Structure formats: structure tokens, C-alpha cells
Amino acid sequence: QVRLVESGGGSVEGGGSLTLSCAASGYMTPRYYMGWFRQAPGKEREGVALIDVKNKTVFADSVLGRFTISLDNAKSTVYLQMSSLKPEDTAIYYCAAEMGSLLYNDYDARRKLERDLPAHWGQGTQVTVSS
């Protein structure tokens, strides 16, 4: 079992920045990917960004150029640096991880971001952006 613990959510004015962290523990395989999904009130959960242990990344079009994702493999911790935040970024942000898999190519990464649901999830952290 893999446990994910998120931190770093909060409230910020539009244009501001926040960094989310997610530390994984438990049974970590040599190959894995982690990332972030979010769910706004009344909307479906959507993928925000993913990264694997080879540092391949994929981002949702809505955050490209504003968010960056990084992975400290030694600490099994993934970070989501969010800048130029907009009110529409307001949501509960969930950390997720999938063991035994990578983002094998651009198509595979996009599919995993937009269609697949990783096996392991954190409890979620609220991000609120005011206008």
C-alpha cells in the first residue's frame, strides 16, 4: 500500500503563487509516476500534471506555462509550483501515484493525465484563488 500526504494548499489572490507538496511512503516500486488532479465545485475531477521517475512530464493545457511539477525521487515527494494563479484554478487538489508504470511517450502521458485514474490517492488540499 502507498500512502500520500499532501501539504501547501491555501488561499491566494489572483496572480499569486502557491506550492503543493506530496510525500509518498509505503511500497514504492523502482518505476512509478506521481502527479496532481483537481476537482472544482460542480465539475469533474481533471488531471493537472504528472511526472515519472525519469522526469517525463505532462500538463493540462489550462496550466501549461503557469505550473511546474518536480519529483524528488530520494524523498518520494512531488511538488506542484503554481504561479499566475487564476480564480478558475480554485479546486481541491489531489496527489496521486501509480506504481510500476512510467509516462512512456507523449501519447501515453496525455492518456494517463486525461483518462486514467492512478491507484493511490491523497486526501486532497484546498486551493482558493480570489479575484
Side-chain angles (χ1 to χ4, degrees), residues 8-43:
S11 298
V12 65
E13 291 187 355
S17 300
L18 278 176
T19 297
L20 306 182
S21 302
C22 173
S25 61
Y27 181 67
M28 303 293 293
T29 57
R31 297 186 304 170
Y32 66 91
Y33 66 87
M34 295 179 68
W36 298 89
F37 292 71
R38 67 186 181 186
Q39 188 166 19
K43 294 188 177 181

Side-chain angles (χ1 to χ4, degrees), residues 55-94:
N55 281 323
K56 183 164 181 62
T57 60
V58 61
F59 294 89
D61 290 344
S62 60
V63 306
L64 194 61
R66 300 188 297 122
F67 292 10
T68 59
I69 189 170
S70 58
L71 176 64
D72 185 334
N73 198 14
K75 297 181 179 179
S76 300
T77 299
V78 64
Y79 304 92
L80 185 69
Q81 295 173 291
M82 305 181 292
S83 61
S84 301
L85 282 161
K86 306 175 181 179
E88 50 263 45
D89 294 317
T90 295
I92 300 175
Y93 283 69
Y94 296 91

